[in-house]
Amino acid sequence: FRYFRERAVATAVVECGMGGRLDSTNIVHPTVCVITSVALDHMRFLGDTVEEIAREKGGIFKGGAHVILGPGTPALLDGMATEVGAATVTRLPEVEGELYRDTALRLARLVLPLVGGEAVEEMQSPPCRFEMHADNDGRRYILDAAHNPAGVAALCRAVRAQFPAHRVAVVFSAARDKPIAEMAAELRRLTPDVTQARGWTLRGSADGTPLEVALAQARKRAEVIVIC
């Protein structure tokens, strides 16, 4: 925040590290509060149900702020926003089969006018959100930071929509405290060619094939390689 002040930013986008109510970013009194989605993640700290996690996320709501809720977020968030005196509460309707990027664009179209920004007609995916690259052989690589079952499901929907007839391989790694079996099962519904790679995180990574070996094997078999 000191850096933002020194740079005299007109508008700052501040993302909670985890949850919201007890997150260090919650000292901000925002113009707009956005909750894009609520899924089972960080359950050790936030709660065992989607509703419990939603209450933690809804702790960012402030009186006088505009609240925007993503499709399918728990209904209790509307009540929480009203209770604290939110200026407006807007909920995006669900669109069947919509991809993450398109939902983000709809959210941006709502948020930007509230902070004096210009309307947008299209947007690029942020880094490691369906980030695509290609090699000299025309093989595609998709980098995605999906780290919970809901994120993996969204990634799989996007791959199916964009590459419906391509041979797909997945190289997958996760911290040990993630629901690895559930995420791997979702990936195998996309393609049976899923290799669990050995990664590294501060919380410890699950065991698996060395990353360079997993990628070399995937290159031999697939036209599209998803790395998540």
Side-chain angles (χ1 to χ4, degrees):
F1 296 129
R2 179 179 178 181
Y3 177 78
F4 289 163
R5 184 176 65 186
E6 290 172 350
R7 302 295 294 179
V9 299
T11 303
V13 179
V14 180
E15 182 179 6
C16 294
M18 181 175 65
R21 182 176 65 92
L22 300 178
D23 194 80
S24 60
T25 59
N26 202 25
I27 62 172
V28 169
H29 195 298
T31 304
V32 186
C33 301
V34 181
I35 295 181
T36 57
S37 62
V38 181
L40 294 174
D41 199 10
H42 305 297
M43 296 163 66
R44 176 182 170 192
F45 304 99
L46 302 181
D48 295 326
T49 67
V50 168
E51 288 72 22
E52 288 176 329
I53 295 171
R55 290 189 184 93
E56 292 296 319
K57 287 179 174 283
I60 65 172
F61 298 157
K62 304 292 193 303
H66 300 278
V67 170
I68 297 176
L69 302 172
T73 50
L76 65 89
L77 290 169
D78 300 77
M80 291 181 67
T82 301
E83 187 175 342
V84 301
T88 60
V89 181
T90 305
R91 175 177 286 279
L92 263 68
E94 294 193 60
V95 176
E96 186 175 355
E98 184 175 56
L99 302 182
Y100 169 85
R101 180 177 54 199
D102 299 322
T103 305
L105 179 58
R106 286 202 291 148
L107 286 166
R109 286 171 175 163
L110 288 175
V111 171
L112 286 173
L114 297 173
V115 294
E118 298 180 1
V120 290
E121 294 303 320
E122 60 181 59
M123 64 188 296
Q124 294 181 330
S125 297
C128 288
R129 287 291 189 183
F130 213 77
E131 178 183 343
M132 285 198 290
H133 300 270
D135 62 20
N136 292 333
D137 297 323
R139 194 178 293 105
R140 300 294 186 92
Y141 298 83
I142 300 170
L143 308 181
D144 198 281
H147 59 278
N148 59 40
V152 167
L155 168 62
C156 291
R157 286 196 299 272
V159 174
R160 289 189 190 98
Q162 192 137 348
F163 301 102
H166 292 69
R167 295 192 308 276
V168 177
V170 175
V171 176
F172 164 66
S173 186
R176 286 196 184 100
D177 60 354
K178 294 291 183 178
I180 294 171
E182 186 177 351
M183 292 190 287
E186 184 68 42
L187 291 167
R188 288 192 177 94
R189 284 190 279 272
L190 171 68
T191 171
D193 193 348
V194 176
T195 302
Q196 186 168 314
R198 185 186 310 145
W200 183 89
T201 74
L202 290 174
R203 302 200 306 275
S205 176
D207 292 332
T209 305
L211 179 59
E212 61 274 17
V213 175
L215 286 173
Q217 293 172 347
R219 289 189 190 102
K220 296 176 182 178
R221 300 189 296 260
E223 302 164 289
V224 177
I225 300 173
V226 179
I227 305 169
C228 63

